[in-house]
């Protein structure tokens, strides 16, 4: 029985299975708002569609990270030890859960941007700029999950009971820790993009405030990262 | 032959996650580096330098196509930087920001170029071993490109013959226009393919060309995004010290507790100090891993899909357009804009 093979298949399934949820919801939200906007302002359907596509492409990043980890797991192989199996499974859990929140969160500003462009097509540039920055910062927590997942996959694991349990803990800590900050930072970006759609002159102040708020909101994801690192390297 | 005809320009499934490592010994320490990444970075830098020289060599008031393009590009990034940092402060950062973007864009785009190195490698091999036919019998990997080349040669000879016949019939002068170089190239290939005297080709040329079968994005190796992220962090912190002063900069880590007087010396009992410091480090991680993950993910997906489908041309066009052109441009833009915004957030009050 090849334990590494079990680990990589289960891990890849969990990574892509859970990781597809968030981005699916987020992209659907953006598409819905774009449809609403086009029905309100059919003449600017071109710029609304462009905003939607760019927003969706960035939203997809979290799922692409999940796909990346799943593919690496599928083709990696490794020693047949319990530590390897657990590391692979929990790398999958980590990136899968980690992609859930940021996927939903990054979809929200994309929807708000479509709405804003429909309301005032002439403000497309500043709305889209704020959307891109907001989405990119929203994805910080899934990037932490990616880092932890890659460390779990490529680290040399000692096959002790203590370390095996610590690996499970690290994957779970970072996976669950990324959900909340992802959605929260997405809400901040949603409201900032929405308000810039109303009043474009305030974009500088609003973007700065959004960034500060998002970085404070992500401090919980940073706690999770620290805990995961401690679990991986100290036990 | 299969090796050449499947995969993204001949990258097989085994190449996923493999990083070529060379070592040099310096002062008794062995230092390993990635030759593919270095080579690709140098190619990108050469393209940028050539573009810059060509577009600024003969500057006119009424610009030509290339100058126009570069002016539009520069103006777009100048306006973006000014709108975030303000004109007064932004002036110093425009060159850095624009260079960052064009470097990342070309780095992300370079992966879709066809494998010219494979071709050079083949010609070198032929010159070294006495003709393409000999080379073909030596190595199964070379068989694919050689068969392709042979068929191209035969088709070209037929075309040239047909052209000459047409010219003779119409009694026109044989014009030696742009096709001249093409015919010369074909003649060169004939010489190469029937070469019988082994040439002393230096080994390092082989080593370089064998190591780089295809163009690969330098951004798909972590060292490039991470060093650019660190560079941006240095720019951010140096400009924060410059605009806030050392005291203001150190005080900003005490946020939201007060930073006056004795509080500055009691930072180790301030929990927010640790949080802020870790937050600054996490910024670098998220900044660079975003680019790395996206580009690596895209390139792995292209390799796997083109290996699964046995695409006739070794290049799935739609995937290259999405992951190479679209995602590459968006991620380059996101990286650049985040660098600007980090400068604005950290250095401005």
């Amino acid at each position: 029985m090849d334990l590494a093979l079990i680990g990589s298949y289960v891990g890849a399934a969990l990574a892509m299975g859970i990781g597809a949820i968030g981005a699916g919801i987020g992209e659907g939200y953006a598409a819905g708002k774009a449809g609403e906007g086009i029905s309100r302002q059919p003449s600017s359907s071109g710029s609304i569609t462009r905003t939607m596509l760019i927003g969706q492409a960035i939203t997809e990043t979290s799922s692409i990270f999940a796909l990346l980890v799943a593919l690496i797991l599928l083709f990696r192989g490794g020693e047949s030890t319990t530590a390897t199996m657990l590391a692979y499974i929990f790398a999958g859990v980590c990136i899968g859960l980690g992609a859930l929140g940021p996927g939903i969160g990054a979809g929200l500003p994309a929807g708000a941007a479509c709405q804003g462009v429909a309301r005032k097509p002439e403000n497309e540039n500043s709305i889209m700029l704020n959307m891109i920055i907001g989405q990119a910062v929203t994805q910080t927590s899934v990037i932490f999950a990616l880092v932890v997942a890659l460390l779990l996959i490529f680290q040399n694991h000692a096959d002790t009971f203590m370390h095996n349990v610590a690996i499970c803990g690290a994957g779970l800590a970072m996976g669950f820790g990324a959900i909340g900050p992802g959605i929260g930072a997405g809400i901040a970006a949603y409201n900032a993009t929405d308000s810039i759609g109303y009043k474009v002159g305030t974009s500088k102040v609003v973007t700065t405030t959004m960034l500060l708020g998002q970085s404070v909101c992500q401090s919980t994801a940073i706690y999770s990262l620290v805990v995961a690192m401690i679990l991986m390297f100290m036990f | 032959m299969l090796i050449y005809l499947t995969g993204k320009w001949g990258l097989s499934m085994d190449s996923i996650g493999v990083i070529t490592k060379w070592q040099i010994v310096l002062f008794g320490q062995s230092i390993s580096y990635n030759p593919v990444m270095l080579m690709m970075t140098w190619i990108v830098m050469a393209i940028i330098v050539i573009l810059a020289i060509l577009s600024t060599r003969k500057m006119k008031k009424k610009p030509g196509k290339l100058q126009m393009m570069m002016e539009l590009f520069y103006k777009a990034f100048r306006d973006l930087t000014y709108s975030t940092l303000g004109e007064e402060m932004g002036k110093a950062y425009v060159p850095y920001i624009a260079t960052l973007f064009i470097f990342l864009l070309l780095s992300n785009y370079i992966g879709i170029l066809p494998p010219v190195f494979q071709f050079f490698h083949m010609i070198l091999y032929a010159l070294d071993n006495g003709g393409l036919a000999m080379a073909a019998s030596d190595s199964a990997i070379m068989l694919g490109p050689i068969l392709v080349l042979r068929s191209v040669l035969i088709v070209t000879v037929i075309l040239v013959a047909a052209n000459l016949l047409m010219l003779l019939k119409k009694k026109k002068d044989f014009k030696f226009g742009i096709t001249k170089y093409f015919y010369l190239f074909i003649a060169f290939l004939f010489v190469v393919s029937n070469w019988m005297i082994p040439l002393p080709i230096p080994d390092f040329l082989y080593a370089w060309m064998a190591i780089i079968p295809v163009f690969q994005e330098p951004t798909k190796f972590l060292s490039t995004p991470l060093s650019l992220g660190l560079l941006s962090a240095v720019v951010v912190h140096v400009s924060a010290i410059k605009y806030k002063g050392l005291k203001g900069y150190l005080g900003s880590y005490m946020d939201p507790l007060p930073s006056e007087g004795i509080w500055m010396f009691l930072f180790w009992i301030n929990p927010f100090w640790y949080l802020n410091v870790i937050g600054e480090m996490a910024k670098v991680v998220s900044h660079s891993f975003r680019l790395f993950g996206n580009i690596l993910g895209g390139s792995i997906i292209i390799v796997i899909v083109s290996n699964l489908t046995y695409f006739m041309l070794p290049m799935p066009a739609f995937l290259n357009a999405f992951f190479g052109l679209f995602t590459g441009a968006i991620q380059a833009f996101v990286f650049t804009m985040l660098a600007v915004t980090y400068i604005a957030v950290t250095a401005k009050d």
Side-chain angles (χ1 to χ4, degrees), chain A residues 50 53-55 57-58 60-61 64-65 67-68 71-72 75 128-129 132-133 135-141 143-144 146-147 150 154 204 207-208 211-212 215-216 219 222-223 225-226, chain B residues 13 16-17 80 82-86 275 278-279 282-283 285-287 289-294 296-298 300-301 304 322-323 326-327 330-331 333-334 337-338 341-342 344-345 348:
Chain A
R50 191 162 59 232
L53 281 178
I54 292 179
I58 304 180
E60 217 163 72
T61 299
I64 286 178
F65 288 162
L67 182 62
L68 173 67
L71 290 175
I72 289 177
F75 293 103
M128 209 193 282
L129 192 62
I132 288 176
I133 294 172
Q135 284 184 311
V137 179
T138 303
Q139 276 152 0
T140 306
S141 44
I143 292 163
F144 294 157
L146 176 73
V147 172
L150 289 180
F154 289 103
K204 245 189 253 176
T207 307
T208 316
L211 277 173
L212 282 177
S215 51
V216 173
S219 47
I222 296 173
Y223 299 154
L225 182 68
V226 171
Chain B
M13 216 88 119
I16 293 170
L80 266 176
Y82 282 3
S83 74
T84 322
L85 293 176
L275 179 60
I278 294 175
K283 254 186 202 173
V285 172
S286 73
H287 197 189
F289 270 78
R290 177 178 297 114
L291 182 67
F292 162 70
N294 271 293
L296 180 65
I300 286 184
I301 291 164
I304 286 178
F322 183 76
F323 288 111
F326 188 53
T327 312
I330 284 185
Q331 290 306 323
F333 185 70
V334 166
M337 279 329 291
L338 280 180
T341 335
Y342 285 155
V345 171
K348 279 164 95 180

Side-chain angles (χ1 to χ4, degrees), chain A residues 2-154:
Chain A
D2 191 352
L3 290 176
L5 214 59
I6 299 175
S8 58
Y9 289 171
V10 175
L14 284 171
M16 205 53 237
I18 311 173
I21 300 173
I25 296 174
E27 286 180 56
Y29 180 77
K33 285 291 176 196
E36 209 180 292
I38 289 178
S39 79
R40 195 185 297 153
Q41 191 95 277
S43 57
S44 58
S45 68
S47 50
I48 296 174
T49 313
R50 191 162 59 232
T51 314
M52 181 193 79
L53 281 178
I54 292 179
Q56 285 181 327
I58 304 180
T59 308
E60 217 163 72
T61 299
S62 55
S63 267
I64 286 178
F65 288 162
L67 182 62
L68 173 67
V69 170
L71 290 175
I72 289 177
L73 282 177
L74 282 181
F75 293 103
R76 174 141 168 96
E79 293 175 69
S80 170
T81 60
T82 322
T84 315
M85 182 183 78
L86 286 175
Y88 285 2
I89 291 177
F90 280 90
V93 170
C94 175
I95 191 68
L97 287 175
L100 185 60
I104 300 174
L108 297 176
C114 293
Q115 239 176 352
V117 172
R119 217 179 283 131
K120 282 185 180 158
E122 69 272 16
N123 294 344
E124 192 193 343
N125 283 340
S126 33
I127 292 173
M128 209 193 282
L129 192 62
N130 188 70
M131 174 194 82
I132 288 176
I133 294 172
Q135 284 184 311
V137 179
T138 303
Q139 276 152 0
T140 306
S141 44
V142 70
I143 292 163
F144 294 157
L146 176 73
V147 172
V148 170
L150 289 180
L151 282 175
L152 280 175
I153 295 172
F154 289 103

Side-chain angles (χ1 to χ4, degrees), chain B residues 4 73 180 197 331:
Chain B
Y4 187 71
F73 163 76
K180 174 172 64 177
I197 312 153
Q331 290 306 323

Side-chain angles (χ1 to χ4, degrees), chain B residues 160 164 167 173-184:
Chain B
V160 171
L164 284 175
L167 284 171
D173 290 338
F174 186 76
K175 271 189 189 154
F176 229 42
I178 189 89
T179 46
K180 174 172 64 177
Y181 299 105
F182 182 64
Y183 292 143
L184 281 178

